[in-house]
Amino acid sequence: MSSVLDRASRNFLWRHPWQLVLALLGIALGVAVVVAIELAMESALASFDQTRKAFSGAATHRIVAGDGGLDEKLYTRMRVEQGIQQLSPIVSGYVRRSDDSFRLIGIDPFVERSFQSAWQKQYSDVGFLARLIAEPGTALVSEQTAARLHLKVDDEISIETGNGERRLKIIALLSPTHAVSEQALSGMIITDIATAQEVLGLYGRLSSIDALIDEDVSETLARIRRILPANALLLSAGDQSQAMREMTRAFSINLKSLGLLSLLVGLFLIYNTMTFLVVQRRRLIGSLRAMGVTRRQVFQLIINEAFWLAIAGTAIGIALGVMLAQGLLHLISGTINAVYFRLDAASLMITPVQLGKGILLGLGATLLAVLPPALEATRLPPMTVLIRSQLESGVRRLIKVAGVAGGLFIAIGLALALWSGKSISLGLIGIFLLLFGFALLTPFFTLMVMKLIERIFGRISGILGRLPARMVSAEISRTGIAIAALMMAVAATIGMDLMIGSFRHTVQEWLQGALRADLYVALPAEKTPASASEDHRLKAKLAAHADVQMLSSLLAVSLIANDELTKVSVYELNPQARRGFVFKQSAGTVWDQFEREQTVIVTEPYAYHHDVKVGQIIMLRTEKGQQPFQVIAVEADYSDQGHLVMSRRNYERYWPDLGYSGIGVYAKPDVDLKRLEDQLGQWLKAPRSIQSNRAIYEASMGLFEQTFTITETLRWLSAIIAFVGVFSALMALQFERTRQLGVLRAIGVTPAQLTALIIGETGLMGLVAGLFAVPVGYVVAYVLIFVIYLRSFGWTMAFHFNAAVVYQGLALAFAAALLAGVLPALKMARTRPAEALRNE
């Protein structure tokens, strides 16, 4: 009997190819988005680890320092005086060649051999290593880099640095052994220590020191920590990777939640499609039950169908996900580069674990979605299955239960979102429960709206005016699910639009207030004590210009605060520059304390993530030991994940002068700013540059838009999945209502009228989805702004209403439903009455 049932199942699916394609598409799209995000995000983070391993090799620890680097005498002291042999000095910085950016890395070739770096494994020739040290200005690049730049051995490569243009001679090409090291080495130029110091201007300084130390040798680690200077930290390789992952955890969770939203919308689509596959065979199932087929056999038949569809759909979804991940990787890497940390290279890495997650999600979601229709098919007696009205009556009773359950889910979702502490995951679960709860309420809301529309249009246009609303209500078991899927996608779109709009408005106001200077001079990022004198000479020259009224300055450094390497902005502020600060919390006369006392200002993200309040003490490590700095204010800031703000006077009391990272130029009244910008620009040598506050504002807003490109992409993917859901519902209805529409054609309804009826029905579905999506979208926006983004980034922003977002959401839902109904409407209108009325 099972073979007969299996054959009947296969025959039915082959006879309904549209149903089969839509079922596979629903599964595939949901799986594809989730797999793509998982692959892209993990590949970006794994690329950071692989890049580190490419030149650190088997190093277990790294000594890192704040800006200014480490004194190279520390390396000698540790190796000679302390007898710690497994150490490798590193000098690194970024250089440019045309539009390409490279990481220049200086190493000690002979010491490096024991660390088994990606490049080191290829060479055992001591003569070659000696040449790298003995010949000044020599370098190594990968074969791929040489091919891309049309270079060969003994050619010279010209690069731009903070000290001007330099030329390096290529003495050998690296041949990576696999794709990961190839990608990592493609963004590197490798030299010896002395060459790197000269090129980068880091004379007598090291960027870091790698160490190969057994974790069990705690005595060695203790000795290293004892002799480290105040600006240095000893980190394990695992600590560095974990720190990067923690830094991007909120971003990763948000992206994955958007992927799961797509899967949730796809889940409704899968449920809808599988329900159609069951309902379309209700007569067959009823006949089989009457012939003696058991409930268990019917249940197995439907589950088997779903299982094989899930396997095929998941396989397609994984293939689509891998292709989609290639594009998303570029967007995610760009966002990580802009907001978090520098990624030198990123290549797609596919692991069995990530694919396994996609397979489990695809199979699990499909089998979960098919359970309700499978149980429904086995629960009813044979004769009841043959009666269509019994199905809709049962569904209408179920809608009331779903409405109660929806209210419960909404209450639980709000409770989780608002009262779950700082947990990002629980906040996102709260949003999912809210969306799911509102989705369960959608059929009930649809029936109420259809009753109202039926009364209004019935009085205006008679029976044909009533039919579209009646058709939606009569098929609520299918149309309700399609409307719910579309509603969720549109609500998420409205919520994200309102959140992004509110964030954009907040950032615009913040930037306009913060950019007080007329012009800003940008100085090289690599700061050393040696470069400070040149920065001071430039500042004095700027101050002496006849058209310059006053200056402000910024030095961006990294210091050790509470035993963590922390970004610190060191300011020299004039009265006008101070007006650019917006304080969320403050105590007393902030600026007097800022200049005269040992104090700091913390940015809002830092205060949120570190639980810092005004009046608390932050311990900063200095050459004179740990020094207490009191927090006197919390400043609004949207530039990063949090930092400290310190006066120049306090900084110079404990740390070396590293010059400036930027200088703000305030022009005298009625000065031609363009002329002044051109004059000052002639004084600056590359890579120093000067920009107006308007140019910086536009560049900052461009960066803002870049960070949300990935969000926009995923949001539209969810909308596409919902569109497919509505389309599948209408196509399936076309097959099921052939006889009904044939009757309408037989009693005189013209093809044009039939087309209008069907498009009217789809338009109503879109209208209901859009109307319900508006309040739901506002709830989603509220939770995103005041819960999710606060917990993720520590930023607070005001809610800004935008009526255009509401209109766009309504238009999106309406247009999506109308477009999804065009093909079914045309197909139904061409159906001949005789064919439609013929029994199958």
Side-chain angles (χ1 to χ4, degrees):
M1 176 65 75
S2 60
S3 60
V4 174
L5 294 176
D6 292 339
R7 193 179 304 118
S9 171
R10 288 194 300 271
N11 290 338
F12 176 83
L13 292 174
W14 288 122
R15 283 167 50 205
H16 298 82
W18 273 105
Q19 302 282 110
L20 181 60
V21 169
L22 290 171
L24 293 174
L25 193 59
I27 301 167
L29 287 177
V31 171
V33 175
V34 175
V35 169
I37 292 173
E38 180 76 18
L39 287 175
M41 191 68 202
E42 289 301 315
S43 295
L45 294 177
S47 294
F48 174 84
D49 293 334
Q50 295 297 338
T51 302
R52 178 184 59 79
K53 292 176 181 177
F55 70 91
S56 294
T60 58
H61 293 77
R62 171 170 290 179
I63 300 170
V64 297
D67 290 315
L70 298 163
D71 189 329
E72 64 181 15
K73 294 177 182 177
L74 173 66
Y75 170 70
T76 304
R77 181 182 174 192
M78 293 172 64
R79 191 175 184 89
V80 177
E81 297 179 12
Q82 297 295 322
I84 303 171
Q85 297 301 310
Q86 298 292 337
L87 298 173
S88 174
I90 301 289
V91 174
S92 68
Y94 289 94
V95 297
R96 298 194 61 82
R97 183 186 186 276
S98 300
D99 294 330
D100 285 330
S101 176
F102 294 93
R103 187 171 188 176
L104 180 71
I105 299 173
I107 47 85
D108 182 336
F110 292 106
V111 173
E112 185 73 13
R113 291 170 63 85
S114 61
F115 284 77
Q116 300 180 347
S117 305
W119 69 272
Q120 183 65 250
K121 295 176 183 178
Q122 304 170 59
Y123 293 99
S124 57
D125 183 5
V126 176
F128 157 77
L129 299 176
R131 186 183 176 192
L132 189 65
I133 296 176
E135 293 186 29
T138 54
L140 311 174
V141 297
S142 71
E143 292 178 344
Q144 290 72 23
T145 300
R148 188 173 79 248
L149 302 179
H150 307 291
L151 299 171
K152 58 183 183 296
V153 174
D154 292 331
D155 282 352
E156 289 189 340
I157 178 173
S158 177
I159 55 175
E160 297 173 11
T161 73
N163 302 303
E165 184 176 339
R166 296 299 179 98
R167 302 184 71 83
L168 297 174
K169 182 179 181 181
I170 300 171
I171 60 171
L173 302 180
L174 305 175
S175 303
T177 54
H178 50 76
V180 173
S181 59
E182 174 185 327
Q183 187 71 20
L185 291 173
S186 66
M188 293 183 187
I189 298 175
I190 298 174
T191 69
D192 77 308
I193 291 284
T195 300
Q197 288 176 327
E198 181 182 354
V199 170
L200 298 173
L202 296 174
Y203 297 101
R205 314 298 293 179
L206 300 175
S207 302
S208 61
I209 300 174
D210 284 345
L212 185 59
I213 301 170
D214 194 334
E215 285 284 356
D216 297 332
V217 187
S218 56
E219 180 185 345
T220 303
L221 296 176
R223 276 194 301 163
I224 292 176
R225 289 190 176 98
R226 280 196 299 270
I227 63 174
L228 287 182
N231 69 329
L233 277 177
L234 176 65
L235 300 174
S236 71
D239 288 340
Q240 295 176 71
S241 299
Q242 185 61 29
M244 296 303 104
R245 290 183 177 274
E246 281 297 317
M247 194 180 296
T248 59
R249 186 174 67 90
F251 177 58
S252 176
I253 290 175
N254 281 306
L255 286 188
K256 290 176 182 179
S257 67
L258 285 172
L260 291 173
L261 173 64
S262 299
L263 186 63
L264 183 60
V265 174
L267 190 67
F268 276 82
L269 171 56
I270 296 165
Y271 170 81
N272 213 14
T273 305
M274 296 307 300
T275 300
F276 279 125
L277 290 175
V278 173
V279 170
Q280 281 185 280
R281 286 176 291 174
R282 64 186 184 278
R283 290 182 175 274
L284 174 61
I285 293 172
S287 300
L288 291 173
R289 292 281 288 111
M291 293 167 55
V293 176
T294 65
R295 286 186 171 91
R296 181 177 180 181
Q297 288 173 319
V298 171
F299 181 81
Q300 288 178 341
L301 171 69
I302 297 169
I303 293 297
N304 283 341
E305 278 183 5
F307 178 74
W308 290 112
L309 285 173
I311 289 177
T314 300
I316 297 171
I318 288 174
L320 288 174
V322 171
M323 291 187 287
L324 181 61
Q326 291 282 4
L328 293 184
L329 178 60
H330 173 72
L331 296 176
I332 289 174
S333 298
T335 301
I336 291 176
N337 264 326
V339 179
Y340 299 99
F341 52 83
R342 182 74 173 259
L343 278 178
D344 297 311
S347 59
L348 192 64
M349 302 177 192
I350 302 172
T351 67
V353 173
Q354 293 162 341
L355 297 183
K357 290 180 182 178
I359 293 171
L360 287 177
L361 279 173
L363 294 178
T366 304
L367 295 177
L368 181 65
V370 81
L371 278 179
L375 292 172
E376 181 71 19
T378 60
R379 187 173 60 84
L380 297 176
M383 291 306 298
T384 306
V385 175
L386 298 174
I387 304 173
R388 170 57 191 269
S389 60
Q390 290 290 335
L391 172 67
E392 293 300 329
S393 298
V395 168
R396 286 174 184 263
R397 289 193 296 270
L398 188 61
I399 286 174
K400 297 178 182 179
V401 177
V404 175
L408 183 62
F409 277 118
I410 292 170
I412 296 173
L414 283 173
L416 273 178
L418 299 177
W419 297 299
S420 53
K422 291 188 176 182
S423 172
I424 302 170
S425 299
L426 289 179
L428 289 170
I429 290 172
I431 288 184
F432 276 100
L433 291 177
L434 284 170
L435 283 173
F436 191 71
F438 283 118
L440 292 177
L441 286 174
T442 301
F444 181 76
F445 178 76
T446 301
L447 290 177
M448 290 195 301
V449 173
M450 289 305 110
K451 284 182 181 179
L452 179 62
I453 291 175
E454 186 180 340
R455 290 177 183 176
I456 294 172
F457 281 86
R459 293 174 183 175
I460 299 173
S461 54
I463 187 65
L464 286 179
R466 295 175 181 265
L467 273 180
R470 286 185 176 181
M471 290 165 69
V472 174
S473 299
E475 308 286 348
I476 194 64
S477 62
R478 268 83 75 203
T479 57
I481 301 297
I483 294 170
L486 183 59
M487 182 279 296
M488 282 197 300
V490 174
T493 297
I494 292 174
M496 292 298 295
D497 271 342
L498 288 172
M499 184 276 295
I500 293 172
S502 297
F503 193 18
R504 181 184 290 110
H505 190 86
T506 301
V507 171
Q508 285 174 339
E509 290 183 340
W510 172 70
L511 282 172
Q512 288 166 357
L515 296 172
R516 292 283 175 171
D518 298 303
L519 301 170
Y520 288 90
V521 177
L523 302 175
E526 281 81 19
K527 312 304 298 181
T528 66
S531 66
S533 57
E534 186 173 348
D535 289 351
H536 284 290
R537 285 194 296 272
L538 174 62
K539 185 187 175 192
K541 190 175 181 181
L542 292 172
H545 193 284
D547 291 335
V548 173
Q549 184 177 27
M550 54 186 173
L551 302 174
S552 63
S553 72
L554 164 69
L555 172 62
V557 295
S558 294
L559 304 177
I560 298 174
N562 293 339
D563 295 325
E564 290 182 3
L565 203 59
T566 304
K567 293 180 181 178
V568 179
S569 295
V570 180
Y571 283 108
E572 283 179 310
L573 298 171
N574 56 50
Q576 189 172 341
R578 290 173 181 174
R579 289 198 288 270
F581 285 75
V582 177
F583 296 126
K584 297 287 185 176
Q585 302 172 34
S586 61
T589 54
V590 172
W591 294 118
D592 283 343
Q593 295 179 73
F594 184 72
E595 293 292 346
R596 299 176 186 276
E597 300 175 16
Q598 198 157 291
T599 58
V600 292
I601 297 170
V602 300
T603 62
E604 187 180 28
Y606 185 93
Y608 181 84
H609 291 303
H610 293 81
D611 291 318
V612 172
K613 296 179 175 59
V614 172
Q616 288 185 214
I617 299 296
I618 294 178
M619 302 300 296
L620 290 173
R621 193 184 297 178
T622 74
E623 295 290 350
K624 300 177 182 179
Q626 297 273 20
Q627 294 293 327
F629 283 75
Q630 184 180 15
V631 177
I632 56 172
V634 176
E635 173 209 0
D637 186 90
Y638 302 92
S639 61
D640 55 29
Q641 295 298 288
H643 61 271
L644 307 180
V645 177
M646 180 184 296
S647 70
R648 184 88 185 186
R649 180 180 300 177
N650 271 327
Y651 174 81
E652 289 181 345
R653 190 180 302 167
Y654 296 108
W655 293 278
D657 183 1
L658 296 178
Y660 305 102
S661 302
I663 300 173
V665 179
Y666 295 76
K668 292 180 178 179
D670 302 323
V671 167
D672 185 342
L673 292 179
K674 181 60 180 172
R675 182 176 60 83
L676 178 60
E677 181 180 353
D678 292 339
Q679 288 178 354
L680 299 184
Q682 293 175 3
W683 294 358
L684 304 176
K685 299 178 181 178
R688 295 164 179 80
S689 63
I690 187 167
Q691 285 184 301
S692 67
N693 54 14
R694 184 65 193 174
I696 293 176
Y697 172 82
E698 291 175 353
S700 300
M701 292 310 299
L703 180 61
F704 173 89
E705 300 298 341
Q706 177 187 340
T707 60
F708 283 101
T709 301
I710 180 67
T711 303
E712 295 277 348
T713 303
L714 296 176
R715 189 186 64 183
W716 281 107
L717 284 173
S718 296
I720 290 171
I721 294 173
F723 171 82
V724 173
V726 177
F727 181 77
S728 68
L730 296 174
M731 286 300 293
L733 280 172
Q734 182 262 333
F735 288 114
E736 188 176 356
R737 294 193 310 199
T738 303
R739 287 181 58 80
Q740 299 172 28
L741 298 173
V743 171
L744 290 176
R745 291 282 288 111
I747 62 176
V749 175
T750 65
Q753 289 174 321
L754 189 61
T755 300
L757 284 176
I758 297 166
I759 292 180
E761 178 190 15
T762 62
L764 286 177
M765 291 171 66
L767 180 63
V768 172
L771 287 173
F772 200 32
V774 170
V776 178
Y778 270 85
V779 173
V780 170
Y782 180 90
V783 177
L784 284 172
I785 290 172
F786 298 108
V787 177
I788 301 302
Y789 267 69
L790 175 62
R791 296 178 185 180
S792 299
F793 307 107
W795 300 327
T796 58
M797 60 190 98
F799 187 94
H800 291 276
F801 172 77
N802 186 354
V805 171
V806 176
Y807 302 142
Q808 290 170 4
L810 287 170
L812 173 64
F814 192 66
L818 282 180
L819 288 173
V822 169
L823 183 59
L826 295 174
K827 190 172 182 64
M828 294 180 191
R830 289 198 300 266
T831 303
R832 297 179 181 178
E835 293 178 0
L837 293 172
R838 185 182 299 120
N839 286 320
E840 295 184 3

